[in-house]
């Protein structure tokens, strides 16, 4: 067989391997962020839990990278309702409970920059690198480094926004690689950012703010060293970046879904139809279950 005839097969085999790897990566990332989301919700609802094997594995893997620090718990106003104080307290201890897992899972996002640089995905390298770098900065240069950030209640909403976003984004990418369509995933991918992106970005900015001096630079210049000045500049830039990315995502949504809450594209109409049909299907299944129970009860009565 001529050499040229085998090239398409080799290319096809190579593309299949790459696609299999990317699908596996997306599913693994989805599993990791699902675990993060579940752990965070459980911590906020119940309080500190006994670390699972996965949590201990993450802590063990990062033990040499995580700095030693003295932790303290912030105090909240006594006039706040007790449930609010309890929730804020749990939010303030969320980094101590799931911080290792979050840092472990988020650090693997470096591979996304590698994927873009190697041409395995179509994502632009600068945009991907910027997004990953901002996340890693929030994790390693803020939350893992400064006690004021690791014990801040803003850590919990940041991780909540991240995890919900990734639990939608990774399945969306996986189904694209598998050449399958999911109108609901498409709608969620380009709609949930309206709430999640500001929540995550604002939480990130507020975590940076917790590491800054409590005075203005012109009031006590001695407190504003080079590190504080850089972080202060990043705190201001974060709001500009939020505006740029937020408006960019709005434009992307219009391209993908069109206008309106559900969108105006055919895919958006399918998602709207499925959402509207969901209550009807639940009601039908409930009615069928009730009818089945009634029939069984009648049969039991006849036997007696």
């Amino acid at each position: 067989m001529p050499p040229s005839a085998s090239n398409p097969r080799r290319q096809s085999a190579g593309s299949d391997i790459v696609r299999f790897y990317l699908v596996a990566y997306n599913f693994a990332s989805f599993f990791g962020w699902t675990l993060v989301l579940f752990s965070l919700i459980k911590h906020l609802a119940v309080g500190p839990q006994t670390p699972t094997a996965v949590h201990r594995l993450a802590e063990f893997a990062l033990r040499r990278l995580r700095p030693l620090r003295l932790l303290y718990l912030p105090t909240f106003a006594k006039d706040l309702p007790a449930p609010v104080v309890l929730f804020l307290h749990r939010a303030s201890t969320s980094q101590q409970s799931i911080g290792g897992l979050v840092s472990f899972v988020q650090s693997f996002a470096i591979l996304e920059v590698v994927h873009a640089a190697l041409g395995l995905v179509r994502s632009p390298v600068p945009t991907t690198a910027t997004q990953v770098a901002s996340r890693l900065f929030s994790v390693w240069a803020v939350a893992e480094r400064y006690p004021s950030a690791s014990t801040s209640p803003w850590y919990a909403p940041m991780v909540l926004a991240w995890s919900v976003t990734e639990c939608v984004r990774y399945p969306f990418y996986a189904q694209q690689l598998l050449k399958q369509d999911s109108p609901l995933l498409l709608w969620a991918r380009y709609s949930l950012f309206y709430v999640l992106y500001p929540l995550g970005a604002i939480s990130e900015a507020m975590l940076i703010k917790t590491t800054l001096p409590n005075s203005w630079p012109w009031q006590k210049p001695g407190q504003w060293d080079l590190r504080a000045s850089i972080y202060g500049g990043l705190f201001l830039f974060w709001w500009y970046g939020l505006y740029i990315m937020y408006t960019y995502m709005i434009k992307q949504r219009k391209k993908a879904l069109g206008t309106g809450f559900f969108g105006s594209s055919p895919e958006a109409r399918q998602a709207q139809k499925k959402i509207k049909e969901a209550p009807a299907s639940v009601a039908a299944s409930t009615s069928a279950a009730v009818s089945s129970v009634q029939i069984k009860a009648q049969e039991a009565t006849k036997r007696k």
Side-chain angles (χ1 to χ4, degrees):
M1 181 179 294
S4 59
S6 62
N7 288 338
R9 294 183 180 179
R10 292 179 181 177
Q11 293 177 358
S12 176
S15 61
D16 289 341
I17 293 175
V18 170
R19 186 172 64 173
F20 175 80
Y21 162 74
L22 291 176
V23 170
Y25 169 79
N26 281 285
F27 275 114
S29 299
F30 169 70
F31 170 77
W33 282 108
T34 301
L35 184 59
V36 169
L37 178 60
F38 175 78
S39 301
L40 176 64
I41 294 176
K42 188 176 181 181
H43 176 81
L44 294 176
V46 182
Q49 302 293 310
T50 303
T52 63
V54 179
H55 289 77
R56 291 194 296 269
L57 175 62
E59 296 281 351
F60 176 79
L62 302 178
R63 70 189 188 283
R64 296 185 182 276
L65 299 177
R66 306 183 76 190
L68 296 176
R69 59 176 184 263
L70 296 176
L71 297 178
Y72 66 92
L73 292 179
T75 57
F76 304 101
K78 296 182 179 180
D79 56 346
L80 291 175
V84 175
V85 174
L86 178 61
F87 180 82
L88 291 175
H89 175 77
R90 289 175 178 173
S92 300
T93 58
S94 58
Q95 202 277 340
Q96 302 173 39
S97 178
I98 65 170
L101 180 63
V102 174
S103 301
F104 183 78
V105 174
Q106 181 57 55
S107 296
F108 276 96
I110 297 177
L111 292 175
E112 297 187 16
V113 183
V114 178
H115 298 163
L118 295 178
L120 302 182
V121 295
R122 297 179 181 178
S123 303
V125 177
T127 303
T128 304
T130 301
Q131 293 175 344
V132 172
S134 66
R135 290 273 193 96
L136 294 178
F137 174 80
S138 298
V139 167
W140 289 107
V142 179
E144 288 285 356
R145 186 175 179 84
Y146 296 97
S148 57
S150 61
T151 57
S152 171
W154 286 105
Y155 183 83
M158 179 187 73
V159 175
L160 178 65
W162 287 3
S163 55
V164 174
T165 298
E166 304 300 37
C167 285
V168 173
R169 186 170 69 95
Y170 285 114
F172 176 76
Y173 289 157
Q175 62 95 19
Q176 283 190 323
L177 290 167
L178 296 173
K179 298 180 180 180
Q180 297 179 358
D181 295 328
S182 175
L184 289 177
L185 269 180
L186 178 66
W187 179 85
R189 174 74 178 96
Y190 289 102
S191 300
L192 296 183
F193 79 92
Y194 276 113
V195 176
L196 297 178
Y197 199 88
L199 178 63
I202 292 173
S203 300
E204 294 167 15
M206 297 309 294
L207 280 185
I208 296 175
K209 185 177 182 298
T210 62
T211 69
L212 301 178
N214 294 326
S215 60
W216 294 103
W218 56 84
Q219 292 176 336
K220 295 182 179 180
Q223 295 183 354
W224 286 81
D225 55 6
L226 179 60
R227 196 283 311 172
S229 300
I230 294 175
Y231 277 46
L234 289 173
F235 171 75
L236 296 177
F237 178 78
W238 229 258
W239 302 97
Y240 173 73
L242 169 61
Y243 169 77
I244 295 298
M245 291 302 299
Y246 198 64
T247 53
Y248 171 78
M249 288 299 296
I250 292 176
K251 294 178 181 178
Q252 291 297 108
R253 186 185 191 276
K254 289 182 179 179
K255 292 180 180 179
L257 297 179
T259 58
F261 181 79
F262 287 102
S264 55
S265 65
E267 295 82 0
R269 295 193 187 98
Q270 292 180 14
Q272 182 179 5
K273 183 179 179 181
K274 288 189 176 183
I275 292 175
K276 289 182 177 180
E277 290 177 351
S281 61
V282 172
S285 61
T286 303
S287 177
V290 172
S291 300
S292 177
V293 172
Q294 291 176 347
I295 292 173
K296 290 181 180 180
Q298 292 175 359
E299 291 178 352
T301 303
K302 291 180 179 179
R303 291 174 184 175
K304 292 180 180 180

